[in-house]
Amino acid sequence: MTRILVVGAGATGGALGARLVAAGQDVTFLVRERRAAQLAADGLRFRAPGTDTVHDVRAVTSLDGGDPFDLVIVAVKAPALAAVVPTLTPAVGPGTRVVPLLNGMAHVDALEAAFPGQVLGGIVMIVATLDDDATVVQMTSMSSLTIGGLHGDPVPDGVVEALAADGVALEVVDDIAARLWAKWVFIAAAGVITCLFRGAVGDILAAGGEATILEAVDECERVATAAGHPVGEAGHARSLALLTEPGSGFTSSLYRDLQQGDPVEAEHILGDLAARAEALGVRTPLLRAALLQLRTHHQALTRSGT
């Protein structure tokens, strides 16, 4: 049995953790005090198509210097990452592998600096949320996890076996860095257009925004190319299919978080990409305009104390 630490028990961490618990793995959740109290009182409640379960789980709010874990899955939002990374040292031994499930690439840099040679690339695809009663709700049947070595190194067999849980489509690939960049480019482009124009893709198109959408995609893809990770034809086609579909109600997670008043991953997704673009000499006026809008929003919230 693999000892697994899941950092975060929100939508993503809770859904994946519930699947791993159901598969019989030894899972511990590292969470904030409020979430730990919820899990202690009510268990980890998880609903998905065809599944409605409650698991008694082990949840901690800090780590001691005991035995390290075999696998650490980091499933927090980007604003929490800087505080989380230093706390993980007791959990990571020489044989531990760390799989972060965040968007962008800044988290990979931070974790590799803390735990060199032990970080794997990870991409999760799931539509999930934390309900009002703290139930983790997976809203569609889609639940996939893609992992791979960041520098051509193989994924240990024990990690693959541990993550091969029912309800999670697991894929091990040898080009995870390229895939991480492709996902980042799409999420950034989606964030630029939906945050800049405050609406869903279908409404932006109906307002005459197709050319601007294409410009935003091109900007973000040019940054990836300059960084040595060009988006392939298939990834480009997927981005266009989702971002130019007439009548689509699609919005980015950045925009949804902004509307709901949740912490916004603006710096992690847009700020980091804009900084890399500047360092690489790539002009990104739309990206920078969207980032300025989100920073202005943040300043207003800070000034008002919300």
Side-chain angles (χ1 to χ4, degrees), residues 117-298:
Q118 296 179 259
V119 182
L120 301 172
I123 298 173
V124 65
M125 299 293 286
I126 188 170
V127 181
T129 188
L130 202 62
D131 215 345
D132 291 339
D133 64 354
T135 298
V136 178
V137 181
Q138 180 183 320
M139 292 177 282
T140 72
S141 59
M142 179 181 68
S143 176
S144 69
L145 178 60
T146 304
I147 58 174
L150 290 165
H151 308 290
D153 47 316
V155 178
D157 291 341
V159 172
V160 177
E161 293 168 5
L163 294 175
D166 287 344
V168 180
L170 178 66
E171 183 181 14
V172 181
V173 300
D174 58 9
D175 63 343
I176 192 68
R179 296 191 185 212
L180 283 165
W181 268 90
K183 185 181 181 185
W184 185 14
V185 162
F186 167 72
I187 289 172
V192 166
I193 62 172
T194 58
C195 291
L196 203 54
F197 300 114
R198 298 293 180 120
V201 162
D203 292 332
I204 297 168
L205 288 167
E210 181 173 357
T212 307
I213 291 174
L214 296 178
E215 288 175 20
V217 172
D218 181 64
E219 278 187 13
C220 296
E221 289 188 350
R222 283 191 287 108
V223 181
T225 298
H229 300 282
V231 176
E233 291 184 8
H236 176 72
R238 281 193 296 270
S239 291
L240 293 191
L242 284 167
L243 298 179
T244 61
E245 180 184 353
S248 171
F250 175 83
T251 59
S252 70
S253 59
L254 273 177
Y255 178 67
R256 293 193 299 273
D257 288 345
L258 185 68
Q259 293 294 96
Q260 294 167 10
D262 293 336
V264 177
E265 298 180 307
E267 296 302 329
H268 191 76
I269 295 175
L270 300 188
D272 187 32
L273 193 64
R276 295 184 193 229
E278 184 174 2
L280 294 165
V282 180
R283 290 189 69 257
T284 53
L286 291 173
L287 170 61
R288 298 195 68 82
L291 180 61
L292 178 59
Q293 185 190 78
L294 290 169
R295 285 175 173 170
T296 302
H297 174 77
H298 176 73

Side-chain angles (χ1 to χ4, degrees), residues 81-132:
L81 187 67
V84 164
V85 173
T87 71
L88 296 181
T89 299
V92 180
T96 305
R97 292 295 181 270
V98 181
V99 179
L101 301 176
L102 290 80
N103 297 316
M105 291 296 292
H107 63 283
V108 173
D109 296 341
L111 286 165
E112 283 203 298
F115 310 110
Q118 296 179 259
V119 182
L120 301 172
I123 298 173
V124 65
M125 299 293 286
I126 188 170
V127 181
T129 188
L130 202 62
D131 215 345
D132 291 339

